[in-house]
Amino acid sequence: MRAHLIALGAIVVVVAAAVFGLRSAVALDLLFTLLLYAVLGQSWNWISGYGGNISFGHAIFFGCGAYASALCVTHGLSPWLAIPAGALVAALLAIVTGFPTLALRGHYFSIATIAVAALVDAFVRTTPWLGKATGFELPIAPGWATMQFPQKGTYVALALILFAAVQLATMALERSRMGYYLRALRANHAAAAAVGIDERRVKLVAFAWSATMAAVAGVLYAQYTLFVDPPSTIALAISIDIALIGVVGGIGTLWGPAVGALVYVVLAKAVALQLGGAGKGYDLVIYGAIICLIAALRPYGIVGTIVDALRRRRGAEAAA
Amino acid sequence: MDALATPAQLLVGGLLTGLVFALVAVGLTLIYGVMDVVNFAHGEYLMLAMYATLALALLGIGPLVGLPLVAIALFLFGIVVYRVFIRRLLAGPPEATVFGTFGMLVLLQGLAQATLTSDYQSIPNPPFHGTIRVGAIAVSQATLIEGIGALVLTAALFAFVEFTETGRAMRAVAEDRIAATLMGIDVQRINGLAFGIGAACVGAAGALLMLSYPVYPTVGAAFALTAFVVVALGGFGSIQGALVGALLVGLLEVFGGFYLSPELKLVPVYLAYLIVVLLRPQGLLGRR
């Protein structure tokens, strides 16, 4: 626990220093993307990693935040209001869709998330007040009230705060009763139910919090890009990216999503630098290969493997 | 008469579409039934098969002649994938097969995007381009051949699983892996065969589809999603179920596309999935 807090503190200090020190827009953009993906990966990790219900439709919760932001701005309200509003809508969507589907096992749940996400996507694309397929372009109006900043560093700082909050919440989850319930359910749901754990309630709470985190990230994203449309927020491709980040780093671990986001961002950038526009697809090949290797050899991802190795070493030392 | 013409036309169109979905879905359901693996990369296998058919067509070999070649190629591909990859996933925790086949989806998708143009490509000189009229109903020859071909192959797979010794062994493995081992069945061999045959089905479907569809790197996604729904509707592991589910999905899609709007054509399909898995998780014809 202390080690985790120190690690988080160190990350916050380093990133904060980078915000003040870096002038390069490209570097700040990378940093923002990295933090945002880490938050989305952790959000996914709550329900799919700790909860064991693998979601392939997580982008709809991200979309709740982004669309809440767009709607607030286009109706003359401050996007800060979109944080509670988007989070509330996302949590409600999670509860309404999770209530019937969370009881489904394995692939039934995963395919249900794809179906729900596709329905949400179809709804948004045909609903005039949600901008249909064209979406929203948000007017430029810098200021704290409009959550628009001339310096990219400010966005990075906000993303850093969100990331730190999400990591702290996850540390709390790992040590909380609910964290133990989730792990017990994942290990053996029948045994967990037999000792009186209410699976539906525990998972609904985890799902609602997971959706909330993704929605807040969505608000920040909308204010950063000032553009919200279905392909950039709620499409299946975004859901797949979120799951990818969660899986690569390691499911059900505190730092897995951050590591996954780092791998994702670094690879995407490296491929773009090496191959330019022609490199489309090569990054997918590499992620795909990583996921295949992890699934075949080390199903608990990069962080899971490290944790395992540490445990074994500690065990060996204790034995010696 | 005219008032009935449109629904009749849609009915025929929906059933023919459904038959092709069935051939894609039976491969998925066979793999699931025998080894409990939901192959999330199934749509990408379809994409590979369609590109293989296109390549043959560019060499002057038409899709119908190419069909057995593509099916055999996919069969061998499936066996190799099982031997080097799926077998390892089965030894891991249950999530491993979801993540592993998902990883394969991402990998194949990336390969296609990286090496192939994102343009829609069709075979040169498609062999069938006329329309057949029966009363008020018009059917394009290509769609008719696709539907009939898919029905014949689906029936052939059903007969294979139902009446041959190997098919019996597959059903035994599906029922109880350990008991099957004790009866002297080589489970690894049967699993590998089932995976290969599942891939061959989607290979044949890909070849048939090229009669009327263009191919592009992300073509698999739409078909794979539909196939998951079909398999869930019919009951995971049930071949007859997949056929019934596919016809239902074909009808829902065609009627939905006509009466709602083309971009909403999948809405009734997904709603049907959610309703069925919530009310009858074993599917319409599945058993538990």
Side-chain angles (χ1 to χ4, degrees), chain A residues 44 54 56 100 104 107-108 110-112 114-116 118-119 122 126 186 236 240 243-244 247 251 280-282 284-285 288-289 291-292 295-296 299-300, chain B residues 32 38 40 85 88-89 93 95-96 98-100 102-104 106-107 109-111 113-114 118 225 228 236 263-264 267 270-271 273-274 277-278 281 288:
Chain A
W44 182 87
I54 298 154
F56 287 134
L104 298 171
H107 54 273
Y108 283 106
S110 301
I111 300 171
I114 297 177
V116 168
L119 290 176
T126 49
R186 207 182 94 180
L236 180 64
I240 299 274
L244 208 115
V247 183
I251 57 168
K280 201 173 148 243
Y282 284 106
L284 288 182
V285 174
I291 297 175
C292 286
Y300 294 104
Chain B
Y32 179 81
V38 175
F40 278 95
F85 187 48
R88 280 175 226 278
L89 300 179
E95 304 97 282
V98 176
F99 292 141
F102 168 64
M104 197 161 179
V106 175
L107 178 72
Q109 181 55 236
L111 270 181
Q113 282 186 17
S118 57
L225 287 178
F228 293 143
F236 274 89
E263 53 182 352
L264 291 181
V267 167
Y270 291 127
L271 281 178
Y273 171 79
L274 290 174
V277 294
L278 296 177
R288 269 264 134 158

